Amino acid sequence: MSKILEVKNLNIAFGFKKPFKAVEDVSFNLSKGKTLGIVGESGSGKSVLASSILSLLPQNAKITGDIEFMGKKINGINEKELRKIRGNQIAMVFQDHMSSLNPVMTVGKQIREVVMLHQKLNKIDAKQKAIKMLELVNLPVPKKIYSKYPHELSGGMRQRIMIGMALSCEPQILICDEPTTALDVTIQVQILKLIENLKLKFKISIIFISHDLGVIFEMADEIMVMYAGKIMEFGNVEKIFKNPLHPYTQALFSAILISGQDKKKDHIILKNTLNLERVECGCKFSLRCPYYHEDCKNKSPELKEYSKDHFCACIKI
Ligand SMILES: Nc1ncnc2c1ncn2[C@@H]1O[C@H](COP(=O)(O)OP(=O)(O)OP(=O)(O)O)[C@@H](O)[C@H]1O
Ligand SMILES: [Mg+2]
């Protein structure tokens, strides 16, 4: 399977005196045409990781490691080179569609500007392209929507606009950071279907971040489970859902089963839920792990291949 994005030993820290490690030694590949789902609780580093791919992190972020797009390193490149990638090759859709859109410009013009900037089209052709994108994301009467301001549209419509804008330059990778979290369930389903259809139509690769394991199961081919900036488990989505190996993944999954129908399933209770302090040495999850062992404190477990397309970072595996 051909790799389109390769992340190697990525570390991201904030601050200077006592740097806070938001992402620690993360390595993974994204294959062409595949969707990688990223899950993990709030603060686990999902958005920081996603933003680093497009160099969208603030100045105080210290990054080491490599991010390669089609075999070429893209972290640390200059603004001019970055602009060729950002939007054109890799695009991003955020949860917050209101602050991502300019409130004083019609949505059509905003897409037109993006197309003019990246695709060097003239105004007339760019407008046509913008209307085509509005049509593609299934907005009714695209020509009318073109002249609307963001506040005149619903949350679901605005998110469709964001997706249309992201795809208007035909990127190879779409990064979606909780794209449906702010929407109600029925609209959520429609947007997820739309992303899925566009993925097949444009043959793009997707990085899809969500808190919702059900959504990840529906959308992703591979899943990456993050905890405190590290990968706990990684691999084929069906394999991991069928047989979660890491105690943290098991806890995540047991929590959804409890809230669903299967009440008989044992709910794994995590320890020290209020202890948000990061573990400096050993397994990041050790303080909360129900299967804690002395050794967990000493060794930082490597991501090991348990079976084909199934990796886990726990000394017990
Ligand atoms: N600009 C910044 N300066 C300092 N720390 C930051 C900065 N941005 C993020 N962090 C920290 O990095 C950690 C990871 O944040 P991140 O936003 O990636 O979490 P997340 O997994 O996306 O969480 P959520 O599910 O809530 O969106 C957090 O502890 C956060 O406080
Ligand atoms: Mg986030």
Side-chain angles (χ1 to χ4, degrees), residues 14 20 22 41-48 58 60 178 211:
F14 292 101
F20 173 80
E41 65 190 8
S42 196
S44 56
K46 306 180 295 295
S47 296
V48 167
N60 66 336
E178 310 258 8
H211 277 104

Side-chain angles (χ1 to χ4, degrees), residues 260-277:
Q261 280 97 30
D262 193 356
K263 302 272 190 223
K264 275 177 276 168
K265 193 101 185 165
D266 285 337
H267 189 185
I268 298 176
I269 308 291
L270 300 183
K271 294 192 285 188
N272 295 312
T273 46
L274 290 177
N275 190 345
L276 295 175
E277 220 170 277

Side-chain angles (χ1 to χ4, degrees), residues 35-241:
T35 298
L36 168 67
I38 306 182
V39 285
E41 65 190 8
S42 196
S44 56
K46 306 180 295 295
S47 296
V48 167
L49 171 62
S51 303
S52 72
I53 295 170
L54 279 177
S55 298
L56 294 172
L57 291 172
Q59 291 283 327
N60 66 336
K62 188 172 178 296
I63 305 172
T64 61
D66 288 344
I67 302 172
E68 290 178 6
F69 171 68
M70 291 170 73
K72 197 170 163 259
K73 185 170 164 165
I74 57 167
N75 56 318
I77 57 176
N78 63 37
E79 266 301 311
K80 195 174 155 216
E81 281 184 84
L82 203 55
R83 271 201 298 271
K84 288 187 203 150
I85 305 242
R86 217 186 258 157
N88 274 338
Q89 307 279 10
I90 308 176
M92 195 155 170
V93 175
F94 300 92
Q95 170 186 344
D96 190 357
H97 38 83
M98 204 54 197
S99 66
S100 308
L101 287 165
N102 180 346
V104 294
M105 194 192 259
T106 64
V107 292
K109 266 194 189 165
Q110 294 188 51
I111 303 182
R112 190 190 72 188
E113 301 272 300
V114 169
V115 173
M116 281 171 72
L117 179 74
H118 289 289
Q119 297 209 314
K120 311 273 179 280
L121 292 182
N122 64 37
K123 240 184 195 176
I124 297 167
D125 291 344
K127 181 174 178 180
Q128 285 313 315
K129 173 102 194 200
I131 292 174
K132 206 176 133 216
M133 289 322 290
L134 295 173
E135 208 174 287
L136 208 72
V137 293
N138 300 332
L139 282 160
V141 208
K143 279 188 183 146
K144 237 178 160 174
I145 300 276
Y146 186 92
S147 340
K148 300 268 185 210
Y149 289 92
H151 72 267
E152 295 178 289
L153 302 170
S154 70
M157 286 168 129
R158 283 196 293 265
Q159 199 53 295
R160 283 174 195 271
I161 304 271
M162 291 309 302
I163 294 166
M165 197 185 288
L167 293 180
S168 62
C169 300
E170 293 155 31
Q172 311 232 26
I173 300 175
L174 181 67
I175 302 174
C176 302
D177 191 354
E178 310 258 8
T180 58
T181 307
L183 305 171
D184 69 55
V185 177
T186 48
I187 307 291
Q188 225 184 73
V189 173
Q190 291 172 10
I191 299 281
L192 295 175
K193 279 221 171 89
L194 172 72
I195 295 175
E196 193 62 22
N197 289 340
L198 293 172
K199 172 191 162 186
L200 297 175
K201 189 175 165 77
F202 290 107
K203 299 189 173 56
I204 43 176
S205 313
I206 298 182
I207 294 180
F208 196 98
I209 298 174
S210 179
H211 277 104
D212 190 329
L213 280 167
V215 168
I216 293 287
F217 186 68
E218 286 302 317
M219 300 293 288
D221 302 293
E222 288 191 306
I223 171 174
M224 178 161 127
V225 181
M226 286 186 77
Y227 184 84
K230 289 204 90 161
I231 302 177
M232 299 285 120
E233 196 157 352
F234 185 97
N236 173 280
V237 81
E238 268 133 33
K239 282 193 177 182
I240 294 184
F241 269 71

Side-chain angles (χ1 to χ4, degrees), residues 12-30:
I12 303 169
F14 292 101
F16 297 100
K17 254 191 174 166
K18 196 173 174 253
F20 173 80
K21 295 174 186 163
V23 168
E24 230 181 301
D25 202 23
V26 162
S27 301
F28 68 91
N29 296 329
L30 176 67

